Amino acid sequence: MDPANFTQIGPVMWRIEPTGAMRVPAIIFADEELIRGMDDRVALQACNVATLPGIVSASFAMPDAHWGYGFPIGGVAAFDPEKGGVVSAGGVGFDISCGVRTMLTSLSVKDILPVQEALAESLFRQIPAGAGSRGKITLDDAEMEAMLVGGARWAVEQGWGEERDLERIEEGGRMEDARPHYVSDRAKNRQRREMGTLGSGNHYLEVQAVEQIFDEEAAAAYGLRPDGVVVTIHCGSRGLGHQIGSEFLKEMASTAPEAGIILPDRELACAPIKSELGERYLGAMRAGINCALANREILGDLSRRVFGHHFPGTRLDLLFDVSHNTCKPETHEVDGKRRELFVHRKGATRSLGAGNPSLPRAFHAVGQPVLIGGSMGTSSYVLAGEPTSEEKAFSSACHGAGRAMSRHAALKQWSGRQIVDELAARGILVRSPSDRGVAEEAPGAYKDVEAVVLAAERAGLARRVARMRPLICIKG
DNA sequence: ATGTTC
């Protein structure tokens, strides 16, 4: 995109004034080079979101934003249910509650290196990865219902996790007001054997080394130390979330006209929050969130078992588990008034600053861990939420490096084998069932994660705490 | 993202 198309309103903040059907401005957080690297469709999609009924303040794009389905990935938008505000299936995305968790080990890099190869093989064997991957767990109807209501709490009750994990998961590990009876049988059937599986695309499990600390106080509060080893898992609600998204998108697209909603793009299909369809989607989507929370909890448990085998007595303590694709009711202050809004974050995370009452005690003084997944060959970051993120973007921040290149373009440029070999030469072991998937996820297909996190920091969304480099990557 | 076109 050409920065000349926008009004620069801060060092890393650009504004598009409302024109045509836009109800509010669009705001993009990025430096000039990130803007230049973004597809024109990022601004187009952010402007399309700004036309939706009941949108409050602005339609936002984070520094990692790229072209997505309807909403940009890296998009944030809040809607007021009392002002005709909508909920959009495309705005949440097909992978409902896709997210990241990072777990702390007491190990150092020198402990991993002698067993790196064996550990990679064990993780690859024990963590089902890839499209259509199935796990050892099969859920009957009653268990499905309990999982969709209970989320990670259900997983812990079943023995696939630890009680102490729950306070380190958004919503305490369980999204309230989930309505499994609004989830179709087809969605449930797709998920019956997919609990504890990684899936494909950008999903992964990584063993990472902490390489640099930027904020000593926050790093200490988070339990991150130089040369320490952490495990990060990125995945979502698998077939269930996808099926919910597909079904409601279709229904929302066909009923939007009768709800009086004019869609600039069919992919923005939505329904009023205060409507029968809106309520039904929200109930089903919350069940989808619980599926993702349970899935990540089980994957964490599988990881603990593998680490326990290689390093008897070692613990994996959950640092934090945060979702990237959600629509949640939240209280925000807008022009001095507190309002109950529904915030869509699509490829964006919550980023609560120090002092926020909904933070776990351990994070009260430093802010929420904001987990930034890089690409396979590059750094990942842990940031800390900044109080200024509230006024900037409804307490949100970026979620990853963000794609710079389409999957198709990446496939033309790289082979999976070549990427695996190149990374192995740099001490990064990649294991994946799909060469094609590895090529699509080539590090070169992503933006410069350093530039993305620096832009988020300069924008006052979150500040850098620690940088990690990958040692092992199990890629879906 | 996705039993990658029910």
Side-chain angles (χ1 to χ4, degrees):
Chain A
M1 305 196 298
D2 184 352
N5 295 339
F6 315 121
T7 307
Q8 187 163 11
I9 55 172
V12 285
M13 199 169 171
W14 309 74
R15 181 180 163 106
I16 306 171
E17 295 304 327
T19 55
M22 288 171 69
R23 298 165 193 262
V24 292
I27 289 180
I28 303 169
F29 296 100
D31 66 24
E32 198 168 318
E33 198 171 335
L34 286 166
I35 291 271
R36 287 187 194 283
M38 285 179 191
D39 192 305
D40 285 330
R41 289 173 292 191
V42 172
L44 176 68
Q45 291 190 319
C47 290
N48 284 342
V49 171
T51 71
L52 295 176
I55 187 167
V56 177
S57 295
S59 162
F60 297 99
M62 297 290 129
D64 54 341
H66 54 107
W67 177 55
Y69 190 94
F71 277 52
I73 296 167
V76 174
F79 295 84
D80 187 338
E82 304 302 329
K83 304 242 162 113
V86 292
V87 58
S88 166
V92 170
F94 286 91
D95 191 2
I96 294 167
S97 192
C98 179
V100 170
R101 67 160 46 194
T102 292
M103 302 170 84
L104 309 164
T105 76
S106 51
L107 304 167
S108 298
V109 176
K110 66 171 169 34
D111 301 314
I112 298 292
L113 294 180
V115 296
Q116 190 178 3
E117 193 91 28
L119 183 59
E121 292 304 323
S122 295
L123 287 167
F124 187 49
R125 262 200 311 278
Q126 298 301 324
I127 311 278
S133 51
R134 289 181 158 185
K136 292 190 173 134
I137 301 164
T138 303
L139 301 186
D140 64 23
D141 289 346
E143 291 165 328
M144 178 69 66
E145 167 97 12
M147 181 274 285
L148 293 175
V149 170
R153 285 183 181 272
W154 168 83
V156 170
E157 287 160 12
Q158 301 299 308
W160 293 304
E162 299 172 7
E163 179 73 28
R164 56 191 278 177
D165 297 339
L166 298 173
E167 66 168 18
R168 299 294 187 104
I169 303 175
E170 268 189 304
E171 313 296 336
R174 174 186 180 272
M175 190 74 201
E176 287 195 45
D177 299 322
R179 299 285 180 263
H181 58 281
Y182 293 149
V183 178
S184 70
D185 287 343
R186 190 162 165 193
K188 291 170 182 166
N189 285 333
R190 282 182 70 167
Q191 194 60 32
R192 225 169 267 286
R193 290 188 54 190
E194 289 195 345
M195 297 310 294
T197 66
L198 205 50
S200 65
N202 62 0
H203 292 168
Y204 61 78
L205 180 150
E206 276 192 356
V207 180
Q208 301 164 331
V210 177
E211 205 165 39
Q212 190 177 0
I213 301 287
F214 298 87
D215 180 323
E216 301 280 351
E217 185 196 0
Y222 292 172
L224 296 166
R225 58 192 164 76
D227 212 42
V229 171
V230 302
V231 177
T232 296
I233 296 169
H234 177 208
C235 71
S237 52
R238 308 285 287 109
L240 181 126
H242 189 269
Q243 189 65 32
I244 293 170
S246 304
E247 290 169 9
F248 278 94
L249 189 103
K250 198 171 159 192
E251 193 175 349
M252 286 175 173
S254 66
T255 59
E258 62 202 63
I261 299 168
I262 299 159
L263 296 176
D265 175 355
R266 182 185 178 276
E267 294 180 357
L268 286 174
C270 57
I273 293 158
K274 292 186 125 183
S275 69
E276 189 273 336
L277 176 54
E279 298 244 334
R280 215 158 14 94
Y281 173 70
L282 285 165
M285 183 206 59
R286 288 165 177 148
I289 290 178
N290 283 331
C291 176
L293 297 181
N295 193 30
R296 287 197 289 274
E297 184 69 11
I298 295 169
L299 286 164
D301 186 63
L302 295 175
S303 309
R304 283 171 169 149
R305 288 170 202 229
V306 172
F307 272 77
H309 174 75
H310 288 272
F311 305 100
T314 195
R315 293 187 48 82
L316 266 63
D317 290 323
L318 184 57
L319 166 57
F320 203 55
D321 182 305
V322 65
S323 295
H324 292 159
N325 287 356
T326 55
C327 175
K328 293 206 279 204
E330 298 173 5
T331 306
H332 289 283
E333 194 171 307
V334 183
D335 299 330
K337 283 207 307 215
R338 293 180 78 72
R339 289 165 70 178
E340 299 298 320
L341 305 175
F342 282 70
V343 183
H344 291 68
R345 294 191 184 85
K346 182 179 189 180
T349 82
R350 212 176 54 162
S351 176
L352 300 176
N356 189 296
S358 48
L359 280 173
R361 180 189 296 270
F363 306 143
H364 210 259
V366 292
Q368 176 210 308
V370 173
L371 310 174
I372 307 289
S375 68
M376 281 182 290
T378 60
S379 305
S380 291
Y381 277 82
V382 176
L383 313 186
E386 284 281 27
T388 43
S389 68
E390 170 61 15
E391 63 186 65
K392 300 277 185 189
F394 298 113
S395 290
S396 308
C398 54
H399 81 309
R403 290 198 79 89
M405 189 187 283
S406 71
R407 293 185 176 277
H408 184 73
L411 271 179
K412 288 204 327 207
Q413 194 153 339
W414 294 285
S415 80
R417 190 70 247 165
Q418 170 197 1
I419 298 295
V420 169
D421 290 345
E422 282 176 14
L423 292 177
R426 291 170 42 204
I428 304 166
L429 301 184
V430 177
R431 295 289 180 273
S432 173
S434 165
D435 273 353
R436 176 189 167 148
V438 171
E440 287 180 351
E441 291 289 318
Y446 278 81
K447 297 185 208 294
D448 176 4
V449 68
E450 322 285 339
V452 168
V453 297
L454 200 56
E457 182 169 291
R458 292 173 69 199
L461 301 173
R463 67 186 187 281
R464 289 170 297 173
V465 175
R467 179 163 60 90
M468 288 95 72
R469 70 182 163 90
L471 297 168
I472 294 169
C473 176
I474 308 303
K475 191 77 194 168

